[in-house]
Amino acid sequence: YKNEGEAMMVVHVLRKLLEDWTVSIDKSERSSNVDSWKTRRDWARPEKVRVITFYAAQVGEINRAIRMNGLGDYGIIVATVDSSQGSEADVVILSFVRSGGSGVGFLNDPRRLNVGLTRAREKCVCICDLKGIERGKVVGNFVRDVRERHRGGGEGCWRKKSETFHV
């Protein structure tokens, strides 16, 4: 399975991360002689940011979207959940892939969902079709839990595609 819309959302989040990283580097350059080329590349190191997804076809779709949108030179790691077991990053972008009436597949496997959700040291950005995945028993429980914890809104809550967000 693959989901082009989610791949483009991954690119959007990556661009926002790069923009935020660049702003913080620009501030530090004013106070020291930081090698800006090296530092601007550092944001995409595997221990900093990683994109993971439940399906191999989505890995290819996200890599294609990254290349087509000018982020291919950064060496961003995109991998399946299964191949990410044992890996961590400060920020993990997790693409759930499944949408509409196609069922939830791997998303209902608690072991895979656990691996996907626990790779981030600081922030996990989940990109998904809520209506599509909340029908699954395991992943649906996750969605309901997050909604309950973030009742009333605020940063960290679900956003619609058209809404702006902060990472």
Side-chain angles (χ1 to χ4, degrees), residues 62-74:
I62 292 169
N63 277 324
R64 184 193 65 74
I66 286 170
R67 283 190 313 275
M68 297 296 290
N69 286 277
L71 296 174
D73 292 340
Y74 286 99

Side-chain angles (χ1 to χ4, degrees), residues 1-163:
Y1 293 91
K2 63 183 182 175
N3 184 321
E4 183 180 349
E6 282 193 19
M8 293 308 299
M9 283 299 294
V10 166
V11 168
H12 178 74
V13 171
L14 288 169
R15 284 191 182 283
K16 179 67 175 147
L17 287 170
L18 175 59
E19 176 184 305
D20 290 351
W21 184 269
T22 301
V23 167
S24 69
I25 294 309
D26 287 344
K27 288 178 184 174
S28 70
E29 285 175 347
R30 290 185 199 119
S31 61
S32 67
N33 280 336
V34 176
D35 178 356
S36 63
W37 174 255
K38 179 181 183 284
T39 311
R40 289 181 201 279
R41 297 268 177 209
D42 283 350
W43 77 277
R45 289 192 329 243
E47 67 272 14
K48 293 288 185 191
V49 65
R50 184 179 191 90
V51 180
I52 59 177
T53 182
F54 292 90
Y55 295 92
Q58 185 71 352
V59 170
E61 186 67 22
I62 292 169
N63 277 324
R64 184 193 65 74
I66 286 170
R67 283 190 313 275
M68 297 296 290
N69 286 277
L71 296 174
D73 292 340
Y74 286 99
I76 299 162
I77 299 293
V78 181
T80 63
V81 167
D82 291 341
S83 68
S84 296
Q85 194 161 0
S87 300
E88 288 184 331
D90 292 343
V91 177
V92 169
I93 303 167
L94 179 59
S95 171
F96 282 73
V97 182
R98 300 302 285 260
S99 180
S102 63
V104 296
F106 287 150
L107 305 182
N108 247 355
D109 181 337
R111 295 165 299 193
R112 282 193 168 107
L113 186 59
N114 182 57
V115 170
L117 293 172
T118 59
R119 301 303 90 202
R121 285 189 289 265
E122 295 179 26
K123 184 175 288 219
C124 181
V125 178
C126 296
I127 299 175
C128 61
D129 170 10
L130 284 176
K131 288 182 181 174
I133 69 168
E134 68 185 340
R135 288 189 307 253
K137 182 178 182 199
V138 174
V139 74
N141 286 338
F142 163 69
V143 170
R144 285 183 287 283
D145 181 63
V146 171
R147 280 192 171 135
E148 183 66 28
R149 290 172 191 254
H150 295 285
R151 191 183 320 218
E155 189 171 341
C157 285
W158 306 112
R159 303 278 195 258
K160 294 179 183 170
K161 279 195 252 187
S162 60
E163 292 179 311

